[in-house]
Amino acid sequence: MNLSSIRNFSIIAHIDHGKSTLADRLLEKTNSMPKKKMAEEQVLDQMDLERERGITIKSHPVRMYYILNDREYELHLIDTPGHVDFSYEVSRSLAACEGALLVVDATQGIEAQTLANYNLALENGLVLIPVINKIDLPGSEIERVKMQLIDTLGFSEDEILLVSAKEGIGIDELLEAIITRIPPPRGSTEKSLEALIFDAYFDSYRGVVVYTRIFNGSVRKGTKIMMMSNRGVYEVDEVGYFSFGLHPTETLDAGEVGYIIANIKNVKDAQVGDTITDADSPVEHPLPGFKRIKPMVFCGLFPQESNGYQDLRDSLEKLQLNDPALVFEPENSEALGPGFRCGFLGTLHMEIVEERLEREYGVKLIATAPNVVYKVYTKDGRLIEINNPSQFPYYSEVEKVEEPYVRVSIISPSEFIGPVMELCLGKRGVLIDMNYIDPIKVVFTYELPLSEVMFDFFDKLKSVTRGYASLDYEPIGFRESDLVKLDILVKGEPVDALSIIVHRDESEKRAREIVKKLRALIPRQLFEIPIQASVNGKIIARENIPPIKKNVLQKCYGGDVTRKKKLLEKQKEGKKRLKQIGQVEVPQEAFLAILKSE
């Protein structure tokens, strides 16, 4: 197709602002949706998890055709994941487009991810079309949301489109705006091949299916292509476009979005953001913006049954085929036995992987408390990157410790300014900026340690703002902090899976909370169980679980008092021996209790 008739665009929005429903209406209006899919909602969200949580986890591009003024246009909708954990994938999807629809809920207004996505789109030089969705709802405040878009993001009133994705209102006007406002792609088929990978998945029969946008040149079956990050060379088996499945074509030309299958065996060889070029006449420089995905959050995953180790390994390997951001390595815990140390992009990514392992592969898991990567500088000049508290060196060896920080944007109703600031202060936050979007909404910018945001920050934020606040964050690098390792001892034995790294000022408070919770969760035994928390070998908190007392005098009816004393002495001796050899089982809830602070 002629370049002037192609439009590549994306839909960006805060969670639950109607992005997937709007995509459904566009597909219906352009007759791109198969009849059997018509009754379904959110057809581009194919996982049950995506539908349940109302978020897009895996992006699904689709090609549509629309006729305007007797001319046919080819529209490529590149769907993007809808959560902060996947912001790099979102940025690469946006880099494959020339424009984007910025969708805002008429009842909610601008939220934290609206701002984050807006800035991401501007960085990629996209033309933005502001869309106010859900105008049919009785609680919609169209004029107030319009003023937010005009005052905060600088749009003019005539740019803003009003739609109801559920009722199908304003969809024709939206399609017309996509064609008239978003510029056609630039590029030439005469130049050497230059294509961006914005996603990929593994097909067990055909290898890796690469989602790509062609910027220059063309690719067809038989073309020898090269990945610029690892110099891997492959021969193309098939090219085509997406429209509820893979549709093979002769060629993919400059400006088009489609897929390439080239017998690539591993998703890691087709990394998101990498540039594909012609192996025989490669381009000099790759497309800008590529970076290797690094996990930010780590936790230990262990099978509940000791014989489930191999099943867990197989399941992780299968999952990793479609999720290159997931990394894992074997780990052995004294308390939990053999398992894996897994790295994730963020806490949502971690939850999704755990849920998929349990649902799709039937693996029963025990997950340890998540933690971030710390940089430990030792006194002998070494730098150790640790993602597991058990790797933390002895205190006497440590020169300084650095932890990752994030810049957090919080949008909240102005009546909750006090509680939000108090929460952030309690989480070691530094206020950078505070602005009013309109008289009733405030945007805060804070810098916070990632470890504080990761635990239960979002739950607490929702709680102090009665569910009205929204949150977005981006990494800003490492900073020095006074951190210590908090060890938990059950019956005098350290339980490595319960160890955490905390700020020194918080250590005593956290220690008291944890031992208190463990006292309630660990079942009583026939002997007393001390639960202790220590920092650098010094006990800073302790709770005792009292023993269950068996009534040994029950069978003793009548008789001399010395007989009773004899039985009680015998019981005392037995308890002493039990205390030495008795084992304490730490239940799964205990590991989850570490995640929640009071």
Side-chain angles (χ1 to χ4, degrees):
M1 178 154 303
N2 190 333
L3 276 178
S4 63
S5 301
I6 296 174
R7 299 290 183 274
N8 298 319
F9 71 99
S10 186
I11 305 176
I12 51 179
H14 188 79
I15 290 171
D16 210 25
H17 279 205
K19 182 163 76 87
S20 298
T21 312
L22 183 60
D24 286 359
R25 295 298 84 75
L26 293 174
L27 291 166
E28 270 178 18
K29 193 57 91 171
T30 55
N31 298 317
S32 307
M33 199 187 293
K35 284 273 189 288
K36 63 180 179 186
K37 293 269 187 186
M38 287 287 192
E40 288 181 31
E41 287 187 11
Q42 300 163 354
V43 289
L44 292 180
D45 293 344
Q46 290 173 4
M47 287 185 214
D48 291 341
L49 263 176
E50 292 181 308
R51 291 163 188 269
E52 283 169 27
R53 287 173 176 253
I55 52 174
T56 302
I57 295 165
K58 192 84 178 150
S59 64
H60 299 280
V62 64
R63 181 185 284 192
M64 303 177 278
Y65 292 98
Y66 188 67
I67 295 169
L68 179 69
N69 302 332
D70 299 326
R71 182 177 172 186
E72 188 177 54
Y73 290 88
E74 188 180 290
L75 311 177
H76 296 129
L77 164 57
I78 300 173
D79 195 20
T80 59
H83 192 272
V84 57
D85 282 4
F86 308 107
S87 56
Y88 173 62
E89 282 94 324
V90 175
S91 78
R92 293 306 84 209
S93 292
L94 294 181
C97 304
E98 278 74 38
L101 309 181
L102 183 71
V103 179
V104 181
D105 188 326
T107 60
Q108 308 276 344
I110 289 176
E111 300 279 16
Q113 261 173 279
T114 318
L115 280 180
N117 287 329
Y118 169 79
N119 292 326
L120 209 52
L122 287 190
E123 281 171 28
N124 283 288
L126 267 59
V127 172
L128 285 168
I129 299 174
V131 179
I132 298 177
N133 188 21
K134 305 190 186 181
I135 58 167
D136 58 307
L137 293 182
S140 64
E141 300 175 74
I142 297 166
E143 289 310 311
R144 182 173 75 83
V145 178
K146 259 190 191 174
M147 290 317 295
Q148 285 184 0
L149 286 167
I150 293 164
D151 297 342
T152 310
L153 304 183
F155 292 110
S156 60
E157 190 168 354
D158 57 346
E159 283 182 275
I160 301 168
L161 297 175
L162 305 179
V163 305
S164 164
K166 198 170 187 185
E167 300 298 325
I169 301 165
I171 303 300
D172 282 316
E173 293 82 345
L174 183 56
L175 281 162
E176 193 175 323
I178 289 168
I179 290 165
T180 53
R181 293 195 213 169
I182 294 174
R186 292 193 297 272
S188 164
T189 50
E190 306 302 314
K191 292 184 179 175
S192 195
L193 176 64
E194 192 175 21
L196 172 76
I197 299 174
F198 62 86
D199 207 345
Y201 75 90
F202 184 80
D203 183 301
S204 47
Y205 298 105
R206 312 181 74 187
V208 177
V209 179
V210 176
Y211 294 25
T212 184
R213 152 75 198 271
I214 314 289
F215 282 91
N216 283 306
S218 60
V219 61
R220 62 179 67 237
K221 184 178 177 177
T223 305
K224 278 200 162 51
I225 56 168
M226 180 173 79
M227 306 292 170
M228 291 197 75
S229 68
N230 58 17
R231 299 282 159 183
V233 176
Y234 306 93
E235 187 173 324
V236 176
D237 285 341
E238 182 180 303
V239 298
Y241 66 90
F242 304 96
S243 182
F244 294 97
L246 307 181
H247 296 264
T249 56
E250 283 285 309
T251 64
L252 274 182
D253 295 324
E256 292 191 314
V257 173
Y259 68 89
I260 295 173
I261 297 173
N263 202 20
I264 302 168
K265 294 282 191 285
N266 195 325
V267 179
K268 285 183 177 166
D269 295 332
Q271 294 197 33
V272 172
D274 199 359
T275 304
I276 298 174
T277 188
D278 200 310
D280 298 326
S281 56
V283 292
E284 283 183 29
H285 303 290
L287 294 160
F290 171 68
K291 60 181 184 194
R292 296 189 186 279
I293 300 175
K294 283 189 79 173
M296 297 286 285
V297 172
F298 288 82
C299 87
L301 295 182
F302 298 87
Q304 279 185 16
E305 307 289 331
S306 55
N307 59 1
Y309 176 79
Q310 194 55 45
D311 289 345
L312 178 56
R313 176 188 277 280
D314 294 345
S315 306
L316 281 167
E317 282 172 355
K318 284 175 190 165
L319 201 54
Q320 195 183 40
L321 289 173
N322 276 322
D323 189 352
L326 168 66
V327 298
F328 64 91
E329 57 182 36
E331 176 185 43
N332 204 46
S333 160
E334 288 171 23
L336 301 171
F340 295 93
R341 191 87 196 149
C342 302
F344 310 93
L345 296 172
T347 43
L348 178 89
H349 185 213
M350 181 181 80
E351 284 171 32
I352 287 164
V353 168
E354 285 175 22
E355 214 160 317
R356 286 186 70 185
L357 284 169
E358 290 189 338
R359 277 190 189 192
E360 295 174 26
Y361 300 101
V363 181
K364 289 193 163 43
L365 292 172
I366 293 176
T368 64
N371 55 275
V372 298
V373 179
Y374 298 95
K375 289 184 176 178
V376 181
Y377 294 84
T378 59
K379 286 178 178 169
D380 57 5
R382 288 179 300 138
L383 164 62
I384 310 169
E385 285 199 0
I386 62 168
N387 57 47
N388 188 342
S390 64
Q391 300 167 340
F392 203 85
Y394 289 112
Y395 184 66
S396 57
E397 298 172 18
V398 176
E399 181 69 40
K400 63 172 183 173
V401 184
E402 290 182 350
E403 64 176 329
Y405 265 67
V406 288
R407 184 174 288 113
V408 176
S409 296
I410 298 166
I411 294 183
S412 159
S414 51
E415 63 190 279
F416 303 115
I417 287 176
V420 170
M421 293 180 90
E422 196 179 319
L423 172 66
C424 293
L425 200 63
K427 295 282 188 182
R428 299 189 278 140
V430 179
L431 180 64
I432 303 300
D433 199 6
M434 177 178 148
N435 290 310
Y436 280 84
I437 294 177
D438 61 21
I440 60 168
K441 261 196 172 179
V442 186
V443 55
F444 301 90
T445 306
Y446 269 92
E447 287 182 357
L448 282 147
L450 176 61
S451 56
E452 297 283 1
V453 175
M454 199 178 71
F455 278 107
D456 55 356
F457 183 76
F458 189 57
D459 293 349
K460 284 192 170 177
L461 181 66
K462 285 287 185 191
S463 150
V464 300
T465 60
R466 296 192 210 138
Y468 285 112
S470 61
L471 170 84
D472 192 86
Y473 62 85
E474 58 172 343
I476 53 170
F478 283 76
R479 294 186 187 173
E480 189 177 343
S481 294
D482 186 10
L483 300 169
V484 290
K485 179 186 172 190
L486 180 65
D487 281 313
I488 304 297
L489 293 86
V490 175
K491 207 169 134 302
E493 294 292 320
V495 182
D496 53 355
L498 291 176
S499 300
I500 54 170
I501 295 170
V502 291
H503 195 270
R504 189 184 295 278
D505 297 347
E506 288 284 305
S507 58
E508 202 166 313
K509 178 172 168 267
R510 289 278 288 159
R512 288 182 195 283
E513 283 172 11
I514 290 166
V515 295
K516 214 174 202 173
K517 282 193 171 176
L518 292 179
R519 182 175 187 258
L521 290 167
I522 293 175
R524 287 169 68 182
Q525 307 288 335
L526 289 166
F527 52 91
E528 185 182 66
I529 307 169
I531 300 168
Q532 299 159 305
S534 80
V535 169
N536 303 327
K538 181 185 170 190
I539 304 295
I540 58 170
R542 174 176 173 140
E543 290 279 345
N544 287 337
I545 299 176
I548 302 169
K549 193 155 187 185
K550 186 182 174 188
N551 187 1
V552 288
L553 303 181
Q554 194 176 9
K555 61 184 178 185
C556 192
Y557 46 91
D560 191 10
V561 71
T562 53
R563 193 170 162 214
K564 291 182 180 178
K565 277 185 178 173
K566 203 170 159 187
L567 284 169
L568 288 170
E569 281 301 319
K570 198 174 172 186
Q571 184 187 34
K572 202 172 172 183
E573 282 302 312
K575 278 192 185 294
K576 204 183 278 179
R577 202 163 66 249
L578 250 182
K579 199 169 182 178
Q580 289 166 357
I581 62 164
Q583 291 292 312
V584 181
E585 285 288 316
V586 182
Q588 159 75 344
E589 295 81 54
F591 300 100
L592 302 177
I594 304 286
L595 308 188
K596 303 280 181 226
S597 59
E598 293 302 327

